[in-house]
């Protein structure tokens, strides 16, 4: 297990290409904006379906 952890750290240092700090920040902003927009779309769809369900069951009652 200890050898596995040591090899993992060697792999991270030697073979992984890390983005620059500015590129990482830019990508973080892109992910944050996309997440906010996606959550707003899901909230909107949920609200519309909620209202449709209320109308449907209001008509039936």
């Amino acid at each position: 297990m200890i050898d596995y952890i040591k090899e993992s750290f060697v792999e991270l240092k030697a073979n992984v290409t890390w983005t620059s700090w500015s590129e990482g920040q830019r990508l973080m902003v892109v992910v944050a904006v996309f997440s906010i927009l996606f959550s707003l779309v899901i909230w909107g769809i949920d609200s519309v379906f909620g209202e449709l369900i209320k109308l449907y069951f209001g008509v039936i009652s």
Side-chain angles (χ1 to χ4, degrees):
M1 185 66 162
I2 294 189
D3 284 338
Y4 175 76
I5 293 171
K6 286 179 183 178
E7 290 174 7
S8 296
F9 278 111
V10 169
E11 183 79 20
L12 284 173
K13 288 181 180 179
N15 297 330
V16 174
T17 304
W18 298 97
T19 60
S20 65
W21 182 254
S22 61
E23 180 73 8
Q25 287 179 327
R26 187 185 68 77
L27 292 173
M28 188 270 312
V29 169
V30 169
V31 169
V33 168
F34 176 79
S35 297
I36 290 168
L37 291 175
F38 189 72
S39 65
L40 288 173
V41 168
I42 296 297
W43 172 76
I45 291 170
D46 183 55
S47 297
V48 168
F49 280 138
E51 290 300 317
L52 290 173
I53 295 293
K54 285 180 189 176
L55 287 172
Y56 178 75
F57 285 111
V59 170
I60 289 178
S61 299

